[in-house]
Amino acid sequence: MCSETDVLPQLGRADVVIPKMLRMGRREMEAGQFRLIQQWGAGLEGIDLESAKQKGVYVANVPATGGNAESVAEHALLLILALLRDLPKADANVRAGVLGAPLGKMLAGRTVCLYGLGAIALPIAKRLHSFEVDLIGITRDPTAAKVSEFGLSRCFSQEERERAFAETDILVLCMRYTEDMRGMIGARELAGLRRGAYLINMARGGLIDQEALYAQLASGHLAGAGLDVFWQEPLPTNDPILTLPNVIATPHVGGVTEASFEEIAKAVAENIERLRRGESPLHAAF
């Protein structure tokens, strides 16, 4: 894997590019004669798909299923529980010799809303049921089948999301991301959550208006946020969101586990082998 400053000279030597979190724009497309851009994971938002299509370059991903989806689901639960029990403060208290604090909150009995009912949301839902939460969902196509599959008490359409937010104690973003969704969770949406609600983002950082999120956290309307993805990655170390004590941030590692990487590596290797055989890669964008 090359850094951004080193990648351009290397592209001219490659048949396959695995960019991971590096952006592949028009400049990178024009720097080589590679045949496949194979993402290490599901997200393709860092790839200029139109330029790749014009150049005749395959673009493929590895869908978030199996070990990857399960890993992200476990990480979502980690962030939820760490926020409710104020894990950073608890750790600091041990180091300061303080016992019996902070006062935590239970997950049981709270209303958790899964925004986006796809491959990531399903293993999150299965894990949340063991905590006896009231589970609701938001999706483009709310159906009785989804209510049954996810074990939801209620399911809302996109157009009804404000009704869902008004009931929500913990909002978990786990939808697929496209550029037209940038900033869709803004001041109005965050203010529409119950006072004292928590926000968990396991999707993409671009979904959230960062200034609105900071304002709602600083004001106390939101009790906390667990963020594994950010509006800019890597997140600048001086980003104001990192100054807030009610934010737990992790460096986009929801799917970074041995089980997830083993499955991704097999899928990437299979597509490289398919390219060698003259076959189209699996899960190609076009």
Side-chain angles (χ1 to χ4, degrees):
M1 185 176 69
C2 299
S3 68
E4 291 187 34
T5 56
D6 296 335
V7 70
L8 288 178
Q10 302 299 326
L11 291 177
R13 305 166 52 192
D15 293 309
V16 178
V17 177
I18 304 174
K20 294 194 75 175
M21 295 184 184
L22 292 177
R23 174 160 177 78
M24 293 293 294
R26 181 175 296 276
R27 182 181 64 161
E28 287 77 15
M29 299 292 175
E30 294 174 349
Q33 298 298 319
F34 42 87
R35 300 154 61 198
L36 168 65
I37 299 173
Q38 173 65 59
Q39 185 57 282
W40 184 274
L44 296 178
E45 65 276 0
I47 299 172
D48 185 339
L49 296 177
E50 186 59 35
S51 293
K53 189 173 183 179
Q54 291 176 4
K55 194 174 173 65
V57 177
Y58 285 120
V59 177
N61 70 348
V62 181
T65 57
N68 183 260
E70 301 282 340
S71 297
V72 173
E74 289 186 358
H75 199 78
L77 263 292
L78 168 70
L79 292 174
I80 291 171
L81 293 171
L83 284 166
L84 288 172
R85 301 306 295 263
D86 198 353
L87 188 60
K89 180 62 174 177
D91 180 81
N93 280 355
V94 171
R95 299 172 194 280
V98 177
L99 292 178
L103 178 67
K105 300 174 183 177
M106 287 187 63
L107 176 54
R110 296 186 182 275
T111 299
V112 181
C113 178
L114 300 178
Y115 197 158
L117 299 179
I120 296 296
L122 187 56
I124 296 177
K126 290 178 178 178
R127 285 158 174 77
L128 283 169
H129 284 304
S130 66
F131 287 90
E132 300 179 348
V133 302
D134 177 22
L135 193 61
I136 65 177
I138 303 172
T139 182
R140 293 190 186 92
D141 183 29
T143 62
K146 283 189 175 179
V147 169
S148 176
E149 181 183 15
F150 285 81
L152 305 175
S153 63
R154 298 173 301 290
C155 191
F156 299 83
S157 68
Q158 292 269 29
E159 293 72 27
E160 299 172 314
R161 65 180 184 171
E162 290 187 9
R163 286 176 50 203
F165 289 167
E167 301 181 22
T168 296
D169 296 310
I170 302 169
L171 176 63
V172 183
L173 303 181
C174 44
M175 71 280 273
R176 294 182 63 183
Y177 176 76
T178 56
E179 190 58 33
D180 62 320
M181 298 163 71
R182 178 168 290 278
M184 65 180 287
I185 305 298
R188 177 174 176 174
E189 290 75 22
L190 295 172
L193 293 168
R194 284 179 174 172
R195 183 168 183 82
Y198 295 86
L199 172 69
I200 307 296
N201 193 0
M202 304 305 299
R204 287 294 183 266
L207 290 166
I208 301 175
D209 180 326
Q210 63 265 39
E211 293 183 2
L213 177 61
Y214 180 91
Q216 294 295 340
L217 288 165
S219 73
H221 179 75
L222 292 183
L227 308 175
D228 188 48
V229 289
F230 305 93
W231 33 89
Q232 180 180 346
E233 293 186 345
L235 188 69
T237 56
N238 63 348
D239 192 292
I241 204 76
L242 298 178
T243 67
L244 296 174
N246 52 350
V247 171
I248 296 179
T250 55
H252 204 148
V253 292
V256 181
T257 66
E258 75 288 358
S260 175
F261 271 28
E262 182 176 350
E263 290 186 11
I264 291 173
K266 289 178 180 177
V268 169
E270 171 62 19
N271 266 357
I272 294 172
E273 182 61 19
R274 289 176 68 90
L275 190 73
R276 188 189 67 80
R277 296 195 302 259
E279 301 172 9
S280 299
L282 299 174
H283 310 298
F286 41 79

